[in-house]
Amino acid sequence: QVQVVESGGGLVQAGGSLRLSCAASGSIFRIGDMSWYHQSPGNQRELVATATTDGGTNYADSVKGRFTIARDNAKNTVYLQMSSLKPDDTGVYYCNVRARRISSSYRNYWGQGTQVTVSS
């Protein structure tokens, strides 16, 4: 099995910063892309940022210039540094890790989510 665990959420004032962490563990043979998603109440889960295996990064337009994604391959961990936070950034942030076990193909694994609340 593969486990994905997020941490680092909390309550912050508008304009503040938070750093989220996501660690993958278990029977991992190889990890592919690592991503963060955001889901606000009543809305669908939306892709925020992706860190690819070749070192590339992609961001949603709404967070460009404010959020930075980074991965530590040695630790199977991905981070999301969030700055200049806005009330619209409030919601649950989910980590998605694309990984494969030695005897399987790539699958998407999700964490349980971490709550971020930005007060105005």
Side-chain angles (χ1 to χ4, degrees), residues 11-72:
L11 173 64
V12 65
Q13 288 188 332
S17 299
L18 277 177
R19 187 193 194 210
L20 306 183
S21 299
C22 167
S25 62
S27 305
I28 298 171
F29 176 66
R30 192 160 292 165
I31 291 182
D33 291 353
M34 305 178 83
S35 301
W36 287 97
Y37 286 74
H38 169 233
Q39 186 169 22
S40 55
N43 293 314
Q44 291 186 331
R45 197 173 295 187
E46 296 181 339
L47 178 62
V48 172
T50 297
T52 64
T53 53
D54 61 359
T57 56
N58 297 297
Y59 297 93
D61 288 343
S62 59
V63 306
K64 283 180 180 176
R66 300 190 299 121
F67 291 10
T68 302
I69 189 170
R71 60 190 287 170
D72 185 335

Side-chain angles (χ1 to χ4, degrees), residues 20 43 47 53-54 58 78 86 88-89 98 108 112:
L20 306 183
N43 293 314
L47 178 62
T53 53
D54 61 359
N58 297 297
V78 63
K86 305 174 182 179
D88 284 349
D89 296 321
R98 189 158 177 80
N108 286 312
Q112 80 288 350

